Amino acid sequence: MAKALDEVRGDLVEDPRAGVPAGLATAAEGLVAEAVAVEVDIPDAASDGIRMSAGDFTLQIGLPHADTAGPSEHLPNGSTAYPSGTSSANAVIPTGDGVQLLSVITSADAAETFAYDLTMPAGHHLEATVDGGARIIDDEGVVKVEFEPAWAQDAAGVDVPTRYSVVGDTLTQTVDHREVAGVSYPVVADPLPVVVIVITAAALIVVAAAALGVATWIVVSWWNTCRAQNRYPQLSTIKGFTARCVR
């Protein structure tokens, strides 16, 4: 499995990183700023699922076909694999601001659908996005987690058609590896959830800039723009750096 991940071309497979500040909070007076790291719990048994948390937000992610997976194995690059006796297996990489979940498909006998059952706090729901990704938002419309658009690549570096579907709290990735002639196995496919930062106090600007790896003046500019609209800036490192104003 390590060889399959190492041979994925481009920057699609993330480098393992420890948690970085992502959930941000202040005391009621707004005088104390605290950065809350994203924590990722990767269990020994795939059937236990992956737990990702930041502050008071916790997301439990069930891995696809976990009932056929063996105990976890730690790969040389720092990721965790769940080998399987079937034609597909899971790999998990903590990314600092989230976690990368990879399906490694070893033959045409493997399934084409990979379902991730999500358990999230009350008042949150999963929805598809127009760019082919998905996101978790709360009842006020604030985005808490974003899933980047699906991708899949075969061993020759050729893209394999793939897409997400959302039914309730289940995100399913379909990989059409049987439908394409000449696919070179293994095929690696991925959903990547990232926790999103919402700044609710000026004292958090410097902390947010450090967490996102962007210049402080950029965060200040978004703070001023959003507060002029009586909103707050929502920032993330998805697709480089993205920002918008939310209530």
Side-chain angles (χ1 to χ4, degrees), residues 3-73:
K3 184 174 183 292
L5 300 182
D6 288 342
E7 291 182 351
V8 173
R9 300 182 185 182
D11 298 322
L12 295 176
V13 174
E14 300 282 324
D15 293 324
R17 290 184 291 139
V20 298
L24 304 179
T26 60
E29 298 83 1
L31 299 178
V32 179
E34 179 184 0
V36 181
V38 175
E39 297 180 358
V40 177
D41 180 22
I42 303 174
D44 181 60
S47 57
D48 290 338
I50 307 301
R51 183 176 182 271
M52 185 172 69
S53 61
D56 60 358
F57 178 84
T58 298
L59 175 65
Q60 187 79 17
I61 307 172
L63 296 177
H65 311 299
D67 56 335
T68 63
S72 64
E73 294 182 0

Side-chain angles (χ1 to χ4, degrees), residues 46-207:
S47 57
D48 290 338
I50 307 301
R51 183 176 182 271
M52 185 172 69
S53 61
D56 60 358
F57 178 84
T58 298
L59 175 65
Q60 187 79 17
I61 307 172
L63 296 177
H65 311 299
D67 56 335
T68 63
S72 64
E73 294 182 0
H74 298 291
L75 301 183
N77 70 346
S79 58
T80 299
Y82 295 98
S84 173
T86 63
S87 299
S88 66
N90 293 292
V92 179
I93 303 175
T95 62
D97 53 359
V99 62
Q100 186 168 34
L101 309 172
L102 296 151
S103 291
V104 179
I105 303 165
T106 58
S107 79
D109 294 329
E112 290 192 312
T113 57
F114 302 86
Y116 296 85
D117 295 323
L118 308 180
T119 304
M120 62 200 78
H124 293 73
H125 69 273
L126 176 70
E127 66 179 23
T129 57
V130 295
D131 65 353
R135 63 186 184 181
I136 295 172
I137 65 174
D138 65 18
D139 286 342
E140 297 181 353
V142 176
V143 178
K144 297 296 183 67
V145 174
E146 294 209 20
F147 292 82
E148 294 188 359
W151 62 263
Q153 187 184 103
D154 77 359
V158 177
D159 291 339
V160 177
T162 185
R163 61 195 177 279
Y164 288 145
S165 59
V166 172
V167 177
D169 292 336
T170 299
L171 177 69
T172 299
Q173 181 174 10
T174 299
V175 183
D176 296 324
H177 62 95
R178 297 176 186 167
E179 313 302 322
V180 180
V183 169
S184 298
Y185 293 93
V187 172
V188 178
D190 153 84
L192 178 64
V194 176
V195 173
V196 176
I197 293 175
V198 177
I199 302 176
T200 57
L204 295 171
I205 289 175
V206 174
V207 179

